[in-house]
Amino acid sequence: MDATSKILRDNLGRRTFKDRYFRGLVVFLSLITISPIVLIIYKLVEKGIRQISFDFIIQTPPDTFEAMTALANGELIPGGIANGITGTLMMVVLASVLAIPVGVITGIYLYENPGKPMANLTRNISDILQGVPSIVLGLIAYIWVVKPITNGFSALAGSVSLAIMMLPMIVRSTEETLKMIPQTIKEAALALGVPYYKVILKVLIPTGFSGLLTGILLGISRVLGETAPLMLTALGSTMINLDITKPTSAVPLLIWEFYNDPNMVDLIWSSSLFLMAMVLTLNLLSKRIAARTK
Amino acid sequence: MNENTIKIKDPVLSIGNLSVSYEKGKYAVKDVSVDIKRNAVTAIMGPSGCGKSTLLRAINRMHELYDNIETEGKLILNGKDITDMPTIQLRRMAGMVFQRPNPFPTMSIYDNVIAGFKLNGIRLKKKDRDDIVERSLRDVTLWDEVKDNLHRKGTFLSGGQQQRLCIARALAYDPEVILLDEPTSALDPVATARVEDLLVKLKENYSIIMVTHNMAQAARISDYSMFMYLGELVEYDKTKNMFTKPKDRRTEEYLTGKFG
């Protein structure tokens, strides 16, 4: 008894020290994790905010000469990224229209058939698809859409490559969301003599709706900033284009173009800030929705 | 039929040689034959894993949700052979209430009560709908508590109220038999007492079959009792008789708390 309590007492100081040391380490490493996002936002705001104005959203980019003149006079670069914003919105909406139905239905299939070989195969392939480099998806969309369908770079081709990127995320989040709905809710509906497809459409999907929405929003925010596949498909355009068979610009494409033009390099900060704000908004929105359902 | 089961005249439900296996040769319910009394509460008792829930679920075939189920036997509900009836039709005749209250979380109290009609796309006139909702909620003594909040979500109610709402949902179809799977096991004693009183009142108009883990509950509210053990129906009698002079030694041992 005495011996044990002595050992415990002797150890106490060392154990308390270890505990403090470990806590400090955890806090320190957490700070390292959050510091990039803080620094990124700080830098974007610092360098980009002065270019942000209403004109920035509704005007197309200046030509190099205008930008050069403005720079030489020490003025702000005129113009904006309206062609990129409309292009990004158009392509993301189109990609969602393509990816959401396929992704949600596949997710339901996986949920309904756990352990079946075909479902496992589908799930694994979907996971592999998530790992395919985005530039490869761009190449594939080039072969599938740019050459045979639109006979040239097009928003449609960009949407197809983005849709393929979104697909596995939607499939997974649909399956995970449905899995979280208690079995008892499904039983309740089946016990009322509701046919199976109606249980899925009228009970499971509405019950898991916010979960599905969260997954879709995260998928969208993921593809919003994609650049590589768009270079090979949508290409870019200096004007606002709303024809899905024509080359179209996008905010990330504009950032790349501004970067390559020494006179317009200042615009990369404001464009990035704008893109970042869109992605953050979607992320926060999906977090909100997810939290509300808990 | 085994010698420890009694015969019932004009039964609401007649189960004949029912066997259910989850795996080849392993029976959850083994050759059960029993007749269920009309307008009475029949309790199914037995230790965990004795097959009482499976027997109950075999009546509206909810047990088919599990994989590799094999079922043999015959079921007659009010003179109709329901053995091979489509489940969609069958389950409208046999309402079910589960262990945990499971109102639909996206629906209001009102919509929960008529969920069966709504989800099946059965169109009713507004007046008929209102009548069904009011009658069902009155039947479960919930009407006075919720009549001003019919369009609030069902999940805002307390556990006991939710369970009564689920019973109302089952009553909305005006079923021929109500199946309850340990309906009070997730409720507190006060809520349990209310549900028990309700079941006693409901038997005037409905026939009730209830699985219960709780012997005292079976003694309090059931008119007839079954005792199941390892998938077999050991004894079936008026509750009064079974609790006072059980015929089978296993029933006696279970009732006196020697196992289970």
Side-chain angles (χ1 to χ4, degrees):
Chain A
M1 167 73 188
D2 267 354
T4 335
S5 57
K6 186 172 180 307
I7 290 167
L8 285 176
R9 203 171 48 240
D10 288 353
N11 264 333
L12 193 61
R14 216 179 70 210
R15 286 186 295 152
T16 315
F17 172 73
K18 270 195 198 163
D19 185 50
R20 284 212 191 112
Y21 177 75
F22 188 72
R23 259 179 224 226
L25 191 71
V26 168
V27 172
F28 176 68
L29 294 178
S30 309
L31 286 176
I32 288 186
T33 308
I34 61 167
S35 58
I37 195 79
V38 173
L39 293 175
I40 287 169
I41 293 172
Y42 172 73
K43 205 70 193 171
L44 291 181
V45 172
E46 185 199 16
K47 303 194 81 158
I49 196 80
R50 63 200 180 93
Q51 285 280 350
I52 300 266
S53 64
F54 190 58
D55 281 353
F56 186 72
I57 297 169
I58 59 157
Q59 289 189 0
T60 49
D63 58 34
T64 309
F65 184 71
E66 285 175 304
M68 200 167 69
T69 320
L71 276 183
N73 296 336
E75 291 164 4
L76 285 177
I77 301 174
I81 55 167
N83 53 341
I85 297 171
T86 51
T88 290
L89 288 180
M90 182 168 76
M91 282 192 279
V92 166
V93 167
L94 195 57
S96 306
V97 169
L98 295 172
I100 291 170
V102 181
V104 169
I105 290 170
T106 308
I108 291 171
Y109 170 75
L110 297 185
Y111 163 75
E112 285 305 327
N113 299 283
K116 293 240 175 83
M118 187 61 198
N120 286 339
L121 185 70
T122 310
R123 188 182 298 108
N124 288 336
I125 287 178
S126 157
D127 286 350
I128 293 168
L129 187 59
Q130 189 148 28
V132 174
S134 59
I135 187 108
V136 176
L137 297 178
L139 280 170
I140 291 299
Y142 180 82
I143 299 293
W144 284 353
V145 185
V146 173
K147 296 205 93 176
I149 298 177
T150 54
N151 275 321
F153 297 107
S154 65
L156 180 66
S159 297
V160 168
S161 62
L162 297 183
I164 301 174
M165 280 196 77
M166 284 171 76
L167 202 53
M169 282 182 270
I170 295 176
V171 169
R172 247 290 146 74
S173 75
T174 304
E175 190 191 2
E176 296 302 323
T177 303
L178 292 177
K179 270 195 202 156
M180 270 163 46
I181 298 174
Q183 189 71 12
T184 55
I185 300 291
K186 197 167 139 192
E187 283 185 336
L190 287 171
L192 289 169
V194 180
Y196 211 76
Y197 76 97
K198 283 190 180 165
V199 174
I200 292 172
L201 291 179
K202 293 190 170 182
V203 177
L204 295 184
I205 290 187
T207 307
F209 184 73
S210 49
L212 294 181
L213 198 61
T214 306
I216 289 167
L217 288 181
L218 286 177
I220 291 175
S221 77
R222 175 84 183 73
V223 300
L224 211 54
E226 271 305 322
T227 323
L230 297 184
M231 288 175 163
L232 303 173
T233 50
L235 188 67
S237 156
T238 51
M239 284 173 300
I240 293 175
N241 168 48
L242 298 174
D243 181 348
I244 61 166
T245 62
K246 293 277 173 335
T248 304
S249 193
V251 179
L253 283 177
L254 282 179
I255 295 174
W256 174 243
E257 283 162 20
F258 295 152
Y259 174 77
N260 285 313
D261 185 332
N263 293 318
M264 297 216 257
V265 98
D266 278 0
L267 285 173
I268 62 173
W269 299 108
S270 41
S271 311
S272 301
L273 180 61
F274 185 84
L275 189 61
M276 192 71 198
M278 272 164 67
V279 172
L280 274 183
T281 309
L282 278 178
N283 265 293
L284 293 177
L285 193 65
S286 63
K287 284 226 156 62
R288 255 284 162 76
I289 294 166
R292 205 186 54 192
T293 38
K294 265 174 205 148
Chain B
M1 229 177 223
N2 133 1
E3 70 280 10
N4 289 336
T5 61
I6 54 162
K7 288 209 162 32
I8 303 277
K9 259 190 229 138
D10 181 31
V12 61
L13 175 73
S14 173
I15 300 173
N17 304 97
L18 184 79
S19 293
V20 179
S21 65
Y22 289 96
E23 243 178 87
K24 268 240 152 6
K26 283 198 173 173
Y27 287 94
V29 172
K30 216 183 292 173
D31 199 24
V32 169
S33 292
V34 69
D35 292 338
I36 305 294
K37 176 85 174 167
R38 193 180 294 280
N39 290 356
V41 177
T42 304
I44 310 178
M45 294 184 294
S48 302
C50 71
K52 53 191 191 304
S53 271
T54 306
L55 175 63
L56 189 82
R57 282 159 179 256
I59 297 172
N60 66 351
R61 303 226 298 278
M62 284 295 283
H63 71 310
E64 287 175 2
L65 290 185
Y66 306 108
D67 292 334
N68 306 322
I69 285 285
E70 285 192 35
T71 314
E72 294 162 52
K74 210 169 175 61
L75 292 166
I76 310 280
L77 179 60
N78 269 337
K80 284 183 292 271
D81 189 340
I82 57 166
T83 320
D84 297 310
M85 184 182 269
T87 52
I88 293 171
Q89 200 183 344
L90 166 63
R91 286 171 190 164
R92 292 176 199 181
M93 295 161 45
M96 186 165 232
V97 177
F98 298 86
Q99 265 188 31
R100 292 191 166 276
N102 53 358
F104 296 115
T106 51
M107 293 188 197
S108 66
I109 294 169
Y110 186 98
D111 285 346
N112 259 292
V113 177
I114 51 157
F117 297 93
K118 226 175 120 87
L119 294 175
N120 278 307
I122 302 170
R123 294 193 187 282
L124 295 172
K125 290 202 192 86
K126 169 118 178 41
K127 169 142 196 338
D128 293 341
R129 259 180 312 173
D130 291 347
D131 286 348
I132 290 174
V133 169
E134 180 168 351
R135 170 181 63 79
S136 308
L137 287 174
R138 279 196 193 282
D139 276 351
V140 299
T141 65
L142 197 58
W143 176 252
D144 291 327
E145 294 159 55
V146 301
K147 66 177 179 224
D148 300 320
N149 294 311
L150 286 176
H151 294 283
R152 287 194 74 184
K153 290 269 163 69
T155 39
F156 282 113
L157 300 172
S158 72
Q161 287 175 320
Q162 284 188 24
Q163 191 63 307
R164 280 183 283 145
L165 177 62
C166 293
I167 298 175
R169 181 173 65 191
L171 295 181
Y173 271 144
D174 204 10
E176 299 179 27
V177 60
I178 305 171
L179 312 169
L180 301 108
D181 193 354
E182 301 193 34
T184 61
S185 65
L187 304 183
D188 64 68
V190 177
T192 298
R194 285 207 68 168
V195 170
E196 288 182 359
D197 290 347
L198 169 65
L199 294 177
V200 172
K201 201 190 82 164
L202 282 178
K203 74 180 180 188
E204 289 169 21
N205 298 315
Y206 297 96
S207 307
I208 296 167
I209 308 176
M210 176 180 69
V211 165
T212 179
H213 218 82
N214 179 336
M215 276 182 275
Q217 183 174 56
R220 279 196 298 271
I221 64 169
S222 71
D223 305 291
Y224 289 80
S225 290
M226 290 180 214
F227 173 66
M228 288 187 70
Y229 187 59
L230 300 176
E232 285 175 67
L233 179 62
V234 173
E235 190 163 342
Y236 175 47
D237 206 338
K238 286 194 166 157
T239 303
K240 207 167 44 188
N241 297 345
M242 192 190 280
F243 276 80
T244 46
K245 32 186 192 306
K247 297 193 194 80
D248 194 285
R249 192 177 47 81
R250 287 168 295 180
T251 317
E252 186 180 346
E253 285 179 358
Y254 179 73
L255 293 176
T256 51
K258 293 216 175 91
F259 72 95

